[in-house]
Amino acid sequence: MRTLYILYKKELKHFLMTPFGWIVLAFIMLLQGLSLSSVLEQYEKAPVQASMLHSCLSTPLFWVYFIFIFPLITMKQFAEEERSGTLESLMTAPVTTWQVVFSKYLSSYTFYAVLWIPVFLHIQIFSIITGSPAPVTPSEMYGSFGILLLIGSFFVAVGILASALTSSQIVAAIMTFGALVFVVFLGFVPMIVGDTFQGAPIFHYISVHEHLSYFSRGLIDIRPIVLYFSLSFFTLILTHHLVDYRRWKH
């Protein structure tokens, strides 16, 4: 555990102690603020039954920056080390492949979780400026952040796998973006072709959009929890085998 913690701390510093991490954080904060502003404009024009967080997680702007987060924070993890040659020296150190893979995954996932802290600040600022509580219940808040963390656990794992497949950060980012767009698109298949075909329940089950909509209303379902944990574990196993193959090949 001590070795894993040391590797995790080292990887996390690349996000929190470099300009790259703070630029990404500032960029995401800006887009989160714009998304909230667009929702508040809708509230001003006409009454909206959906909660503020549910509305924020349904805007086109949210989907744009949400999918772009993962290529940004994962593309360097293995690809950069492979390109610079430091991965080979790391693999020859007295550390296990699982420790290397998991430290990179945990550091990326931790930084991903940090990116959502500003949303709490936005809600507090809303209450301070208006002098009234934000139109968000505790269950809606916990559900929204819970599902964002669940989806992120799988999406970060996909980015780590893509980074381990190539020595180019650009290629890793494109692969991650393409894979995540495909996963999100699968949830829209019933909307496009209808619910009449037999496979429709499967697409509803894996629909990221439906999971966000459900949890952001404060409704908790155990099935997405099992789904994302299982997919994350399976993806990390693939990454482990890939990195381990490279390790013994060298």
Side-chain angles (χ1 to χ4, degrees):
M1 289 299 294
R2 184 173 181 273
T3 303
L4 176 61
Y5 174 73
I6 293 173
L7 291 173
Y8 164 74
K9 187 177 179 180
K10 169 181 171 291
E11 296 294 337
L12 190 59
K13 283 183 177 179
H14 290 316
F15 292 110
L16 302 181
M17 305 297 289
T18 61
F20 171 79
W22 290 100
I23 291 173
V24 172
L25 178 59
F27 180 67
I28 297 301
M29 284 182 63
L30 174 63
L31 295 180
Q32 288 172 349
L34 291 175
S35 180
L36 179 60
S37 298
S38 65
V39 169
L40 293 178
E41 288 179 0
Q42 295 177 10
Y43 274 60
E44 186 179 6
K45 294 177 181 178
V48 180
Q49 292 184 350
S51 71
M52 186 171 68
L53 277 178
H54 177 266
S55 300
C56 287
L57 300 181
S58 303
T59 62
L61 181 59
F62 163 79
W63 286 103
V64 171
Y65 75 77
F66 179 66
I67 295 178
F68 267 104
I69 286 175
F70 302 97
L72 283 175
I73 65 178
T74 61
M75 63 182 182
K76 295 179 62 176
Q77 292 294 61
F78 280 104
E80 175 63 19
E81 294 211 42
E82 176 73 16
R83 185 195 63 80
S84 61
T86 56
L87 182 61
E88 184 176 350
S89 60
L90 178 62
M91 290 290 98
T92 57
V95 295
T96 65
T97 305
W98 264 120
Q99 289 172 335
V100 174
V101 172
F102 207 54
S103 64
K104 291 182 178 294
Y105 171 76
L106 280 181
S107 61
S108 299
Y109 186 63
T110 301
F111 184 68
Y112 166 78
V114 169
L115 294 178
W116 296 106
I117 293 178
V119 177
F120 282 103
L121 300 179
H122 292 159
I123 294 174
Q124 296 300 320
I125 293 172
F126 176 90
S127 301
I128 293 173
I129 293 177
T130 61
S132 59
V136 179
T137 64
S139 61
E140 292 169 346
M141 184 178 298
Y142 296 145
S144 298
F145 288 102
I147 193 61
L148 286 171
L149 292 178
L150 281 172
I151 297 172
S153 66
F154 171 51
F155 282 14
V156 169
V158 171
I160 295 295
L161 175 60
S163 184
L165 285 170
T166 178
S167 59
S168 170
Q169 295 184 47
I170 302 300
V171 173
I174 294 174
M175 290 171 61
T176 303
F177 181 79
L180 298 186
V181 168
F182 177 73
V183 170
V184 172
F185 172 77
L186 290 178
F188 290 98
V189 170
M191 300 181 187
I192 299 173
V193 301
D195 291 327
T196 56
F197 67 104
Q198 293 183 348
I202 298 177
F203 290 99
H204 283 296
Y205 176 68
I206 63 177
S207 174
V208 177
H209 178 269
E210 291 187 17
H211 297 158
L212 278 168
S213 176
Y214 200 72
F215 275 70
S216 62
R217 288 179 287 167
L219 305 174
I220 306 301
D221 188 356
I222 193 66
R223 291 173 299 175
I225 299 175
V226 175
L227 173 67
Y228 289 116
F229 278 145
S230 301
L231 290 175
S232 301
F233 182 69
F234 176 73
T235 307
L236 287 176
I237 288 178
L238 289 179
T239 306
H240 169 269
H241 285 307
L242 177 62
V243 176
D244 205 42
Y245 169 76
R246 286 186 174 182
R247 181 174 192 170
W248 291 112
K249 183 179 179 181
H250 291 298

